[in-house]
Amino acid sequence: MRRRNQSFGRQVRRRYSNLVWLILFGLVILLFLVVLISKDTGPPSRQAITKRPYRQDRILEGLNVTEEMLSPYSITRQINDQISLAKSLVVIAKESNNLQLAWELSAQIRNSQILLSNAATRKSPLTAAEAETAIRDMALLLYQAQQLHYDSATMIMRFKVKIQSLEEQMSSLSDKSAKYGQIAAEEIPKSLYCLGIRLATEWFQSSQSRLLVDRKQSVLWRLKDNSLYHFCVFSDNILATSVVVNSTAVNSKNPNSVVFHLVTDEVNYVPMKAWFSMNDFRGVTVDVQKIEDLSSWLNASYVPVLRQLQDSETAKYYFSGSSDEKRTPIKFRNPKYLSMLNHLRFYIPEVYPSLRKVVFLDDDVVVQRDLSALFSIDLNGNVNGAVETCMETFHRYHKYLNYSHPLIRSHFDPDACGWAFGMNVFDLVEWRRRNVTGVYHYWQEKNVDRTLWKLGTLPPGLLTFYGLTEPLDPSWHVLGLGYTNVDSKVIAKGAVLHYNGNAKPWLKIGIEKYKPLWDKYVDYTHPLLQQCNVH
């Protein structure tokens, strides 16, 4: 009996221990299921919170604007987008003269900017609650702007119309500027008119005429002496011609060997004679002629330009308004381009039949170096020594001539290098041998209807001296001081500075920084210049 009881007790204890283990195992399984169910059904906010400890740490450090702007759910980004759009609409509203809307948009932009500023100051992002009002008010204003057709497509069309209008205004203003600039360049200042009158009065009231005759007789041989350095200037501007002569004399190593041949018109003949007779130019010989004295051969029967002036259509084109005015710029219609003083450069061998070589100078140049070396330059059988200007395509033949004309197209290379008048060495012996003046006449007669070129003496010069021009070193002739900026180092090395363009140094429209180079050869203390207020 006692043994049976003992075995029964051990069996009961084993049953109880097995039951405990089963209960524990079931609790573990139940707990595991509860955890799984809680993960699947838990609120998203808790999940987001558990997964963004880094975000919370960054907020504690400060507001990260970059993250805010990159987030698609960022209120800061939404407000910034509204501000950008509103700023562009402010401009459009002002352009449309809707000042009320522009003011309201500007005010709302300020409010939104204040919100963003406050958020940045407190180092935390904006919440939907505090930004709701600002976003709604701005959205209403943007909707109002859209109702007024301030959308992109409409504004693009309006801007295109505005741009076209501005381009037309700019074109009109450019035409007016060119017209008035041309008029200003062509007008002679009152002070120079005064100087001419004063000189003429001085001439006739003094005994200078007898002195001049005696002096001219004593230097007559020098005008034909080919061992001297002969320069020619054709101008009606007394002061400008004086600067050319004076600057050449001052910079010449041997001014006594320099001879200037001046030709002017009848109006300025006496004043120019008076000026060069009463002033000394360091021993330089100066001879003054008037173009009317050449009329025995320089007349319409020989000169194509003078024949063209007798044509009524040509005279109308240059000297009066016509229906062609709108199609042809005013600079092409300048009567000076038919002036014989301008075209006399093509008749130098006939004006000075005894000379073999001359240097031609325009009246808007200043000489900075001794020019005697020009007379020893070998032109290699060519007639014209000139500085080429084809460093850019702008100064090649196709810029000056009409290559749609078959006569031009068949005779001249459009990419041939252009060159400049203003400082030219002419071999008059070779000129006469090749009958260069006859070539000039041929092309001038072909251009009676202005279809080969439009203006000036350079285009016919390019045709006349085509294949007959020897390039000179660029330092001999520096151009551009009358219309553009020129490198100061180039100016310092230049022998002859040329104020080509409208901004002549004796005019108010002259380029100020280049005027001193010209002014230093004018004696502003001269009594006549002071009387005429030349300064």
Side-chain angles (χ1 to χ4, degrees):
M1 293 294 290
R2 188 173 295 174
R3 285 180 182 175
R4 189 181 298 167
N5 288 340
Q6 287 177 349
S7 65
F8 178 78
R10 284 193 296 269
Q11 185 178 3
V12 170
R13 281 195 294 272
R14 279 196 299 271
R15 286 177 181 175
Y16 276 112
S17 63
N18 290 336
L19 182 62
V20 170
W21 283 109
L22 286 172
I23 292 170
L24 288 174
F25 182 76
L27 288 173
V28 170
I29 293 173
L30 181 63
L31 180 61
F32 179 76
L33 291 173
V34 169
V35 171
L36 287 177
I37 293 170
S38 64
K39 286 184 177 180
D40 294 335
T41 60
S45 60
R46 295 186 64 84
Q47 181 185 11
I49 290 172
T50 57
K51 287 189 176 182
R52 294 180 63 186
Y54 175 75
R55 172 69 177 163
Q56 289 177 347
D57 292 342
R58 294 299 299 270
I59 290 174
L60 293 175
E61 293 176 9
L63 179 62
N64 190 317
V65 178
T66 303
E67 283 190 7
E68 282 290 307
M69 295 305 296
L70 290 176
S71 172
Y73 306 109
S74 170
I75 295 172
T76 301
R77 175 175 177 173
Q78 185 178 354
I79 292 178
N80 268 305
D81 289 345
Q82 283 187 329
I83 289 173
S84 299
L85 180 57
K87 284 182 177 179
S88 63
L89 291 173
V90 167
V91 177
I92 296 171
K94 288 181 179 179
E95 191 74 23
S96 303
N97 205 28
N98 192 343
L99 301 182
Q100 178 65 28
L101 179 60
W103 181 85
E104 291 177 0
L105 284 168
S106 299
Q108 193 55 46
I109 289 171
R110 286 193 296 272
N111 292 339
S112 299
Q113 288 172 336
I114 290 170
L115 272 178
L116 295 175
S117 177
N118 291 337
T121 302
R122 70 171 184 255
K123 300 181 180 180
S124 63
L126 284 171
T127 63
E130 61 183 332
E132 181 181 2
T133 303
I135 292 174
R136 185 183 65 249
D137 292 345
M138 182 68 85
L140 288 172
L141 288 173
L142 297 178
Y143 177 76
Q144 183 180 347
Q146 185 180 5
Q147 294 301 108
L148 293 170
H149 301 291
Y150 291 166
D151 57 280
S152 299
T154 303
M155 291 317 301
I156 287 172
M157 292 302 298
R158 293 182 62 179
F159 279 136
K160 283 184 177 179
V161 172
K162 187 68 175 177
I163 290 171
Q164 185 177 0
S165 174
L166 290 174
E167 287 177 346
E168 290 175 355
Q169 291 180 28
M170 184 178 68
S171 177
S172 175
L173 291 173
S174 297
D175 290 343
K176 289 180 179 179
S177 175
K179 179 178 180 180
Y180 296 144
Q182 193 71 33
I183 292 172
E186 293 169 12
E187 290 299 315
I188 300 296
K190 285 194 303 183
S191 56
L192 296 189
Y193 275 120
C194 169
L195 180 62
I197 294 171
R198 292 275 185 180
L199 284 168
T201 303
E202 185 78 14
W203 175 264
F204 289 114
Q205 288 182 349
S206 68
S207 58
Q208 290 290 337
S209 56
R210 290 190 302 273
L211 293 175
L212 182 66
V213 170
D214 295 340
R215 181 181 173 187
K216 188 170 183 178
Q217 291 296 328
S218 65
V219 300
L220 191 59
W221 65 273
R222 296 174 63 85
L223 304 180
K224 301 179 181 181
D225 187 351
N226 282 290
S227 66
L228 304 177
Y229 307 125
H230 294 269
F231 298 84
C232 58
V233 181
F234 309 138
S235 172
D236 57 0
N237 189 320
I238 300 167
L239 192 62
T241 305
S242 175
V243 168
V244 177
V245 175
N246 191 31
S247 62
T248 305
V250 168
N251 293 286
S252 177
K253 295 178 181 178
N254 188 9
N256 289 317
S257 297
V258 174
V259 179
F260 265 92
H261 303 264
L262 310 181
V263 179
T264 188
D265 56 18
E266 191 164 17
V267 174
N268 292 282
Y269 175 60
V270 169
M272 197 167 283
K273 277 201 308 182
W275 178 261
F276 285 101
S277 64
M278 67 176 60
N279 293 287
D280 179 65
F281 296 92
R282 299 185 64 208
V284 169
T285 300
V286 181
D287 177 58
V288 182
Q289 290 179 273
K290 58 182 175 180
I291 196 168
E292 286 76 11
D293 290 341
L294 307 175
S295 59
S296 60
W297 58 269
L298 197 69
N299 49 53
S301 63
Y302 178 63
V303 179
V305 169
L306 293 178
R307 281 201 301 276
Q308 291 170 17
L309 282 173
Q310 295 176 352
D311 178 71
S312 60
E313 287 299 320
T314 302
K316 183 180 179 182
Y317 179 84
Y318 284 103
F319 296 100
S320 66
S322 69
S323 59
D324 185 61
E325 184 174 0
K326 292 183 178 179
R327 289 184 283 120
T328 305
I330 186 173
K331 69 177 183 178
F332 296 129
R333 305 164 62 83
N334 191 340
K336 80 172 186 178
Y337 295 124
L338 288 183
S339 164
M340 274 314 301
L341 281 177
N342 209 28
H343 284 262
L344 196 60
R345 65 192 68 188
F346 295 105
Y347 299 94
I348 292 175
E350 290 157 286
V351 179
Y352 309 111
S354 301
L355 298 182
R356 293 197 291 268
K357 182 175 282 190
V358 299
V359 171
F360 168 78
L361 297 173
D362 270 338
D363 64 359
D364 55 353
V365 305
V366 167
V367 177
Q368 291 192 134
R369 281 182 9 214
D370 177 60
L371 301 183
S372 58
L374 287 172
F375 291 85
S376 59
I377 291 177
D378 184 4
L379 297 183
N380 296 311
N382 289 306
V383 177
N384 173 30
V387 169
E388 292 183 331
T389 57
C390 59
M391 285 71 74
E392 301 174 1
T393 57
F394 180 83
H395 296 291
R396 296 188 183 274
Y397 268 49
H398 63 76
K399 179 64 181 179
Y400 303 99
L401 304 171
N402 177 20
Y403 272 85
S404 65
H405 197 291
L407 198 57
I408 295 294
R409 193 167 57 247
S410 61
H411 284 80
F412 303 99
D413 178 6
D415 291 323
C417 194
W419 46 268
F421 272 128
M423 196 291 298
N424 304 82
V425 183
F426 290 125
D427 183 340
L428 302 186
V429 175
E430 196 66 23
W431 184 317
R432 297 182 187 101
R433 189 181 73 82
R434 292 174 177 263
N435 189 25
V436 173
T437 302
V439 176
Y440 161 71
H441 283 174
Y442 172 81
W443 289 112
Q444 196 67 47
E445 289 171 351
K446 291 293 183 182
N447 194 47
V448 66
D449 55 356
R450 300 177 298 280
T451 56
L452 303 186
W453 70 87
K454 282 290 185 183
L455 82 162
T457 54
L458 181 55
L462 295 175
L463 302 182
T464 301
F465 295 103
Y466 184 70
L468 301 175
T469 299
E470 179 70 16
L472 301 181
D473 187 282
S475 65
W476 280 115
H477 188 189
V478 176
L479 295 108
L481 278 74
Y483 72 95
T484 189
N485 288 319
V486 183
D487 188 345
S488 58
K489 293 180 181 178
V490 174
I491 291 176
K493 294 179 181 179
V496 176
L497 307 181
H498 197 169
Y499 291 81
N500 56 312
N502 286 339
K504 303 300 184 188
W506 57 84
L507 299 175
K508 290 183 178 179
I509 62 173
I511 301 174
E512 289 297 328
K513 65 179 178 180
Y514 299 141
K515 282 186 176 183
L517 299 170
W518 190 84
D519 285 339
K520 66 181 180 180
Y521 297 107
V522 180
D523 180 13
Y524 288 107
T525 64
H526 194 286
L528 290 178
L529 297 185
Q530 291 187 338
Q531 291 173 22
C532 291
N533 198 28
V534 177
H535 55 78

